[in-house]
Structure formats: structure tokens, C-alpha cells
């Protein structure tokens, strides 16, 4: 039986390993193309294809403030430069690419987590 | 194994590395490293204090790329601490190698046994 889902067992962002939150359900996307199709008047299909970035949305990480986790991520966000990021799933599959942090890096004091979104021109199974 | 460097020269070089890094290698690990050096599979960059291990079986990635060597530097406290969540010694080596090489554990896990053994042995210089 092939494992279809589950925990993320390792997250590496810009050369640093972060602690993934258990039982997280993260949306990730491969870089490539996406299509938007509409019907034509005569029953055909009119498709517009666009390039899309790859990466992940709102990946929750357990914050270790003693290491300056949030400061490290904010510094990477400040630079705006893509860097090596990877995510290894519990079934051993690893997705990686050079990604830049998107949006805000705002940790929560209550649960000690921060959610990170990162995108890049390439994010793929390696 | 092709012998590219003579044993005496290899042993002298490995001894030099031991003195540089202050690591104590047990006989078995030392022999693996000497043989790896003799075969031209290990090089040391003194400036960056890191070893490069050339893999017998390069790791082929799903995206078509290949990793044919790993650069192994000294792990720091966080990396060592992080590796101690491992269930066993082999897994701990994998986590440490992942940390110091920057390659995800899912990639390190594809190392063949001989390569994993040699890479793990190189970590012994720092312990």
C-alpha cells in the first residue's frame, strides 16, 4: 500500500532546517503551466495557458526563537532573493526549488508557529 | 577499488587531517577513510575545513539531475541536536549528512551503502 499523505518530515529553507508542525496540511504546487478554458460558441474549447510559479502556501513551522528562526526568515524576505528550499514528505518524496518568501512572516505567540509562503520559478520533485 | 594514491601517502594525509581537526578515528573508520583517499574518493579543502566525497553511485534525481559528490563540513550544535531525534545510528548519520550538505534527507536516503558508510566515516573527523 502506497502512503498517500501525512506529515512533512523535513523542511529546509535557505540552508537551515526548520521544525515542521505535525499533522499540517500544506498546499504545494509544482511550477509549470495552468490553463483556463471556456467554451466557444460552436461547442469547441478556447484555452488560455499561463506560466505558474511553484512553491508552497502557509507552511506552518514550529518557531525556535532561541535560534532566531523568525529573524532569519524575515532577513530572507527582506533580501527578496530566491534561495534553496525543500520539503520531504513522510513517503520519502522530496520537492525542492529556489524560492522567495512571499507576504508576511508573522509568528503567533500562542501556538509558537509561523506560516511561511514561498514561490519560485521552479519547484519540482527531485 | 582502483588505487590512485599509495597507502603510505594516504595514511600520512589522513593523519594530517586528524591532527588538523582533532578527531579520534577508530581503526575501522580510519581504514575506510584511508582506502577512500587511496581511491581518490575523498578530498579535503583545508580553507573551508570541509571534505568532498565523490560517490561511487551518483544520486539520480527525479528532475534528471545527478549528484556525484557531497561536500561535508563540521556540524554545529543545532545540527547535532536535531539529528538526535533519529531512531537509530544510521538515521542519525542521514540527518547529520542532510544538515551539513544542505541536501534534503529524502535525497541523502538514496545514498548507496558504500557511499553512506564513507560519508558517515568522514563525519568522524569532527567528533
Amino acid at each position: 500500500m502506497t502512503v498517500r499523505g501525512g506529515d512533512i518530515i523535513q523542511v529546509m529553507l535557505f540552508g537551515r532546517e526548520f521544525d515542521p508542525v505535525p499533522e499540517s496540511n500544506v498546499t504545494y504546487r509544482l511550477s509549470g503551466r495552468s490553463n483556463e478554458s471556456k467554451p466557444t460558441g460552436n461547442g469547441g474549447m478556447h484555452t488560455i495557458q499561463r506560466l505558474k510559479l511553484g512553491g508552497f502556501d502557509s507552511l506552518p513551522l514550529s518557531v525556535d526563537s532561541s535560534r532566531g528562526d523568525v529573524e532569519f526568515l524575515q532577513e530572507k524576505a527582506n533580501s527578496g532573493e530566491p534561495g534553496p528550499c525543500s520539503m520531504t514528505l513522510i513517503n520519502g518524496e522530496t520537492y525542492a526549488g529556489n524560492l522567495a518568501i512571499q507576504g508576511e512572516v508573522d509568528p503567533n505567540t500562542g501556538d509558537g508557529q509561523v506560516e511561511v509562503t514561498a514561490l519560485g520559478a521552479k519547484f519540482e520533485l527531485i | 577499488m582502483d588505487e590512485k594514491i599509495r597507502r603510505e601517502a594516504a595514511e600520512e594525509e589522513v593523519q594530517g587531517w586528524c591532527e588538523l581537526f582533532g578527531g579520534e578515528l577508530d581503526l575501522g573508520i580510519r581504514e575506510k577513510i584511508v582506502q577512500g583517499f587511496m581511491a581518490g574518493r575523498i578530498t579535503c579543502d583545508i580553507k573551508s575545513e570541509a571534505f568532498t566525497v565523490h560517490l561511487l553511485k551518483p544520486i539520480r534525481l527525479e528532475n534528471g539531475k545527478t549528484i556525484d559528490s557531497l561536500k561535508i563540513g563540521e556540524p554545529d550544535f543545532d545540527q547535532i541536536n536535531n539529528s538526535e531525534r533519529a531512531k537509530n545510528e544510521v538515521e542519525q548519520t542521514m540527518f547529520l549528512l542532510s544538515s551539513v550538505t544542505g541536501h534534503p534527507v529524502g535525497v541523502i536516503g538514496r545514498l548507496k551503502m558504500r557511499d553512506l558508510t564513507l560519508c558517515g566515516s568522514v563525519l568522524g573527523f569532527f567528533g
Side-chain angles (χ1 to χ4, degrees), chain A residues 1-117:
Chain A
M1 184 179 71
T2 307
V3 171
R4 304 294 176 90
D7 286 337
I8 299 168
I9 61 171
Q10 189 192 48
V11 171
M12 297 180 89
L13 304 177
F14 304 94
R16 177 184 283 202
E17 191 167 340
F18 287 84
D19 297 328
V21 167
E23 298 179 12
S24 55
N25 190 25
V26 175
T27 299
Y28 66 93
R29 66 181 70 86
L30 304 181
S31 53
R33 302 181 182 196
S34 65
N35 300 315
E36 189 182 320
S37 301
K38 292 179 181 173
T40 59
N42 59 352
M45 190 159 81
H46 177 84
T47 299
I48 303 291
Q49 187 175 80
R50 300 194 192 284
L51 294 174
K52 65 175 173 115
L53 298 174
F56 46 79
D57 292 341
S58 302
L59 170 65
L61 302 174
S62 172
V63 171
D64 184 345
S65 53
S66 67
R67 290 194 320 168
D69 276 354
V70 176
E71 288 75 11
F72 177 86
L73 291 170
Q74 185 61 59
E75 189 192 316
K76 297 303 176 188
N78 291 346
S79 82
E81 291 294 324
C85 297
S86 69
M87 187 170 75
T88 300
L89 307 184
I90 199 162
N91 62 2
E93 288 179 351
T94 300
Y95 293 87
N98 280 336
L99 308 181
I101 291 183
Q102 308 293 309
E104 310 300 328
V105 179
D106 295 338
N108 301 308
T109 58
D111 57 19
Q113 296 178 12
V114 64
E115 289 188 349
V116 177
T117 295

Side-chain angles (χ1 to χ4, degrees), chain A residues 10 17 67 86 94 124 126, chain B residues 63 82 85 98 105 110:
Chain A
Q10 189 192 48
E17 191 167 340
R67 290 194 320 168
S86 69
T94 300
E124 58 188 350
I126 64 166
Chain B
N63 62 4
N82 194 48
R85 65 193 155 125
S98 173
V105 69
R110 295 176 218 171

